């Protein structure tokens, strides 16, 4: 097995940074060495410490770039690659006008396979090595994504959407078929390589009470699995969900009624939660997923990150792109917009906390911190190598940067895929060198 010694400036977080000068929360090596073998980090330290154990290892020198654990995207829709950048609608119109028509094509295996390949390419070009992904209602879409990800050795959480109402014919399953298809996909893919299955009822609006009962049964039968869904994103969506489930005390209460709140439950958006709802999520250890570019683009609202973190019963929070409601695959762009959303709420998110969030913070929120999100020996060897001088504007700005925090903030504010010098998956360089359009047809307008 190939052994690699990777030399770079190294940054890994030990705990959530509480302030811009919380130096105890991270480990930084100016001349660092990372020894990698069989997809695993064997040693992490200064180059001088690690090099003697490297023996005949292949040496890769990324200096002066900065190496961090690979970015983690806690919520994205791979079938929405051709929905991203669709003009002029709020959530429910956007779903009906753009998203459902695009998702209808994923019964076609070849189309699903092509978009799955493009999606993984985009993740890796942007330095993202793990994502929690929604497929469409078609089991073929999940088959396509899992097959692609398995062959490329990524750690992914994904599931087929369960959706049996309020969507066009051809894009719905039934309560029974959603249960059966989910069971079959779990049996085939969960635990293969680094794949994790997520039970995925799209949201309360598109599931009947019978389907919610099936989701309850799946969670009860598979407590080891994640569950992902949407919650409290948009005023019209909230009113619709509440009208469909009048017995529930509020939107969160719908999922609660069906036993869907738990420590592996990931709730996309959570913008308009009452204190009762936040308490219920907190008590269950459930995760609120902040999707800033999506929330701004769809005009959904401003997620109150610091209110949720600092309340007496804090919420677990992850951050995510929500492609294609979200407008960029980059977790750097995501945190830049996140910073602005938090600023509009009168708070700031310091750059250390921001990079903690998209590495170790998201790994903890996804209950995967034992394997990813850090450079600790024993972790999976997934990293991103960042160049803070990747563009002329970044280079000029970096002339005045004096601290690691400033460098991180420049990367977040000005950076995107151009700042990703390399992405490693299971110890191997994996960033696609160019965009492969996989059978692109010509435009016809
Ligand atoms: N709510 C239900 N489905 C979706 C979706 O695909 N995107 C977003 N942003 N919200 C949703
Ligand atoms: Zn979503």
């Amino acid at each position: 097995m190939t052994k690699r010694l990777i030399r770079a400036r190294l940054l890994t977080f030990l705990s959530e940074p509480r302030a811009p000068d919380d130096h105890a929360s991270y480990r930084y090596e100016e001349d660092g060495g990372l020894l990698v073998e069989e997809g695993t980090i064997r040693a992490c330290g200064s180059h001088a410490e690690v090099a003697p154990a490297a023996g005949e290892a292949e040496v890769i020198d990324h200096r002066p770039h900065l190496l961090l654990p690979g970015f983690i995207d806690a919520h994205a829709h791979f079938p929405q690659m051709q929905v991203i950048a669709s003009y002029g609608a709020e959530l429910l119109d956007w779903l009906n006008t753009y998203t459902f028509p695009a998702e209808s094509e994923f019964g076609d295996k070849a189309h699903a396979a092509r978009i799955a390949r493009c999606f993984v390419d985009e993740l890796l070009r942007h330095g993202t090595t793990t994502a929690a992904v929604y497929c469409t209602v078609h089991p073929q879409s999940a088959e396509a994504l899992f097959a692609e990800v398995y062959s490329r050795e990524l750690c992914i959480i994904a599931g087929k959407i369960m959706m049996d109402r309020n969507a066009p014919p051809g894009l719905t399953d039934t309560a029974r078929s959603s249960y059966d298809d989910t069971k079959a996909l779990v049996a085939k893919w969960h635990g293969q390589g680094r794949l994790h299955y997520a039970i995925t009822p799209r949201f309360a609006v598109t599931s009947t009470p019978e389907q919610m009962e099936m989701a309850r049964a799946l969670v009860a039968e598979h407590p080891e699995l994640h569950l992902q869904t949407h919650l409290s994103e948009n005023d019209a969506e909230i009113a619709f969900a509440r009208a469909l489930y009048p017995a529930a005390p509020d939107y969160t209460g719908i999922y609660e009624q069906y036993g869907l709140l738990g420590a592996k439950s990931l709730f996309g958006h959570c913008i308009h939660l009452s204190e009762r709802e936040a308490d219920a999520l907190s008590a269950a250890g459930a995760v609120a997923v902040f999707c800033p570019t999506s929330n701004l683009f769809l005009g959904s609202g401003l997620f109150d990150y610091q209110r949720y973190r600092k309340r007496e019963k804090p919420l677990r929070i992850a951050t995510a792109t929500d492609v294609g409601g979200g407008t960029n695959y980059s977790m750097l762009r995501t945190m830049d917009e996140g910073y602005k959303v938090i600023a509009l709420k009168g708070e700031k998110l310091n750059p250390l906390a921001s990079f903690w969030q998209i590495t170790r913070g998201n790994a903890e929120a996804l209950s995967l911190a034992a394997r990813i999100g850090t450079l600790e020996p024993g972790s999976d060897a997934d990293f991103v190598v960042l160049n803070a001088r990747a563009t002329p504007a970044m280079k000029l700005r970096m002339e005045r940067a004096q601290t690691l925090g400033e460098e991180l903030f420049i990367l977040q504010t000005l950076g995107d895929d151009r700042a990703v010098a390399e992405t490693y998956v299971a110890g191997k360089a994996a960033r696609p060198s160019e965009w492969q359009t996989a059978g692109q047809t010509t435009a016809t307008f």
Side-chain angles (χ1 to χ4, degrees):
M1 236 330 165
T2 317
K3 230 184 189 183
R4 293 192 177 88
L5 174 62
I6 300 167
R7 193 168 182 178
R9 295 162 55 233
L10 302 182
L11 176 62
T12 185
F13 291 94
L14 308 170
S15 60
E16 180 176 0
R18 298 288 168 186
D21 59 355
D22 185 356
H23 303 301
S25 65
Y26 64 89
R27 179 168 179 196
Y28 173 70
E29 293 288 350
E30 180 72 26
D31 182 5
L34 209 53
L35 191 61
V36 168
E37 194 180 18
E38 290 173 1
T40 304
I41 298 173
R42 298 274 187 237
C44 170
S46 70
H47 180 259
E49 276 164 7
V50 172
E56 297 297 295
E58 176 191 357
V59 178
I60 303 170
D61 193 347
H62 284 298
R63 290 175 301 165
H65 298 338
L66 183 63
L67 185 151
L68 292 102
F71 296 147
I72 300 168
D73 180 351
H75 181 129
H77 298 254
F78 100 85
Q80 296 177 11
M81 290 193 84
Q82 295 179 316
V83 175
I84 194 167
S86 291
Y87 171 75
E90 288 200 1
L91 176 64
L92 298 177
D93 279 348
W94 174 85
L95 285 171
N96 287 315
T97 310
Y98 302 113
T99 306
F100 290 158
E103 292 194 4
S104 296
E105 292 175 36
F106 282 74
D108 175 348
K109 274 188 188 176
H111 179 69
R114 172 185 174 225
I115 302 296
R117 182 156 74 245
C118 293
F119 182 73
V120 175
D121 282 349
E122 282 307 281
L123 290 184
L124 297 178
R125 278 189 346 94
H126 288 83
T128 298
T129 49
T130 290
V133 186
Y134 288 65
C135 304
T136 65
V137 74
H138 315 94
Q140 301 90 301
S141 69
E143 290 282 351
L145 184 73
F146 280 129
E148 181 66 29
V149 166
Y150 182 72
S151 74
R152 295 169 75 166
E153 297 181 53
L154 272 74
C155 172
I156 285 274
I157 300 169
K160 171 208 115 72
I161 276 178
M162 302 165 72
M163 168 155 83
D164 67 345
R165 66 167 157 180
N166 291 320
L171 206 54
T172 49
D173 50 15
T174 65
R176 185 76 233 173
S177 74
S178 69
Y179 174 89
D180 292 342
D181 288 344
T182 299
K183 287 294 261 194
L185 287 164
V186 171
K188 181 165 175 189
W189 292 107
H190 181 71
Q192 296 296 326
R194 303 165 71 201
L195 308 182
H196 301 259
Y197 195 88
I199 300 162
T200 310
R202 182 176 207 127
F203 64 155
V205 166
T206 49
S207 288
T208 59
E210 294 71 36
Q211 186 164 62
M212 296 291 257
E213 285 295 351
M214 291 299 169
R216 182 211 295 275
L218 288 164
V219 168
E221 289 160 24
H222 296 281
E224 74 283 11
L225 298 184
H226 291 86
L227 172 127
Q228 56 183 356
T229 189
H230 297 85
L231 169 62
S232 200
E233 178 174 3
N234 161 293
D235 291 339
E237 170 227 17
I238 296 168
F240 197 178
R242 296 209 54 191
L244 292 170
Y245 290 93
D250 44 42
Y251 195 166
T252 302
I254 302 171
Y255 297 125
E256 215 174 0
Q257 269 181 355
Y258 291 98
L260 305 184
L261 266 55
K264 296 192 93 174
S265 301
L266 312 173
F267 291 100
H269 306 294
C270 295
I271 299 170
H272 309 284
L273 300 180
S274 66
E275 289 302 306
R276 193 213 78 79
E277 291 179 283
D279 282 348
L281 292 176
S282 175
V287 176
V289 186
F290 177 28
C291 307
T293 72
S294 170
N295 299 163
L296 293 171
F297 180 74
L298 294 174
S300 302
L302 302 175
F303 182 94
D304 206 343
Y305 188 98
Q306 301 293 26
R307 169 187 152 224
Y308 292 154
R309 288 305 287 174
K310 292 179 183 165
R311 65 199 299 277
E312 198 185 319
K313 299 174 191 159
L315 286 188
R316 294 171 75 203
I317 294 179
T319 51
T321 63
D322 190 31
V323 161
T327 51
N328 206 290
Y329 295 86
S330 168
M331 293 307 293
L332 298 173
R333 305 291 344 108
T334 298
M335 293 316 288
D336 179 40
E337 298 303 306
Y339 177 86
K340 297 170 194 171
V341 168
I342 293 165
L344 282 168
K345 288 286 187 185
E347 298 272 358
K348 296 286 183 277
L349 186 65
N350 82 67
L352 290 171
S354 196
F355 278 76
W356 166 82
Q357 180 70 74
I358 58 178
T359 56
R360 187 177 187 129
N362 275 359
E364 287 176 2
L366 299 182
S367 305
L368 293 175
R371 297 247 48 88
I372 59 168
T374 82
L375 302 179
E376 300 303 320
S379 281
D380 295 347
D382 294 348
F383 340 114
V384 58
V385 181
L386 296 174
N387 176 9
R389 295 176 181 80
T391 68
M394 293 174 81
K395 199 167 173 218
L396 202 59
R397 177 63 183 86
M398 277 295 290
E399 287 177 13
R400 292 178 74 88
Q402 290 179 346
T403 65
L404 176 65
E406 280 179 272
E407 179 179 357
L408 294 175
F409 201 56
I410 290 167
L411 277 162
Q412 170 180 305
T413 310
L414 295 175
D416 51 31
D417 50 314
R418 293 168 295 179
V420 177
E422 190 51 274
T423 307
Y424 284 83
V425 173
K428 285 176 271 192
R431 186 176 191 270
S433 55
E434 63 188 57
W435 169 240
Q436 310 262 332
T437 48
Q440 178 68 59
T441 51
T442 39
T444 51
F445 48 84

